[in-house]
Amino acid sequence: MADPAKRRATYQDVLDAPDNVVAEIIGGELRLSPRPGGPHTGASSALGFLLGPPFQFGSGGPGGWIILDEPELHLGDEIVVPDLAGWRTDRLPAVPNDAFFTIAPDWVCEVLSRSTAVHDRAEKLPIYAGAGVRHTWLVDALQRTLEILRLHDGKWLIVDVHRGDVRVRAEPFDAIELDLSVLWAHLSPPPRRSRASEAADEYAID
């Protein structure tokens, strides 16, 4: 929760942020995150390519969606930037000319990294729930996982968790089967971790 004595961040702070960071405002505080790394960017881009033809363009699928990379969302006083977001065209018929979106998406995807995973789960998920986003996907490129969440009575329900090179039907894009191997196809193998590093993670408190 933001300290009321502190100056609340404004959209001008977002505009003034360096180009090499992702700028968001959460709870009145400016949050600056490093630009995504290689596995993060690779998985996010591949997912956009996977969903775009059937769901945005109706090629081999039902169409009816607008799916965008890193849209800037203004959800009340919060400004957040998911890795991907999608709107049903009956709610957003066309991409507006503004630099940001005030209509909450129907679906968002966050690709998790070590530096952003807690931020995405603990801070951004409640914002998406409060704005009425119906579905969130959490992708972990290193662990090769897809976690599917559905909003129910203002709370997130974990619908399913998939791992590895599997074919799935994943809400809200369950009209067709998706091949998750596409997300990891061009990523380097995850770095091998020693027992010492695993133990350090287990007992870390920061």
Side-chain angles (χ1 to χ4, degrees), residues 68-198:
L68 301 175
D69 294 319
E70 295 190 341
E72 184 179 293
L73 307 179
H74 289 215
L75 305 177
D77 293 332
E78 316 288 2
I79 299 177
V80 290
V81 183
D83 291 292
L84 290 161
W87 291 259
R88 297 182 187 274
T89 52
D90 58 357
R91 294 186 58 248
L92 186 74
V95 176
N97 291 326
D98 299 318
F100 53 82
F101 296 79
T102 57
I103 298 175
D106 296 285
W107 164 85
V108 297
C109 177
E110 296 285 2
V111 181
L112 307 178
S113 63
R114 289 176 62 88
S115 62
T116 64
V118 172
H119 167 69
D120 289 337
R121 289 185 182 274
E123 297 185 320
K124 295 176 77 172
L125 279 179
I127 292 173
Y128 296 143
V133 177
R134 301 300 302 169
H135 289 87
T136 294
W137 288 9
L138 300 175
V139 172
D140 189 321
L142 294 182
Q143 298 297 323
R144 306 317 200 232
T145 61
L146 167 63
E147 188 174 346
I148 303 161
L149 289 77
R150 181 202 307 144
L151 190 66
H152 178 73
D153 290 339
K155 303 290 184 181
W156 290 111
L157 298 180
I158 299 175
V159 176
D160 218 335
V161 180
H162 302 286
R163 184 173 187 180
D165 298 342
V166 295
R167 301 182 70 88
V168 305
R169 290 185 181 269
E171 299 181 12
F173 301 112
D174 48 350
I176 66 172
E177 199 173 57
L178 301 176
D179 182 1
L180 295 191
S181 69
V182 172
L183 304 189
W184 343 115
H186 299 289
L187 303 185
S188 300
R192 294 181 62 86
R193 303 178 64 198
S194 67
R195 290 184 178 179
S197 66
E198 291 172 356

Side-chain angles (χ1 to χ4, degrees), residues 39-54:
H40 183 135
T41 302
S44 178
S45 298
L47 181 57
F49 294 144
L50 189 64
L51 294 176

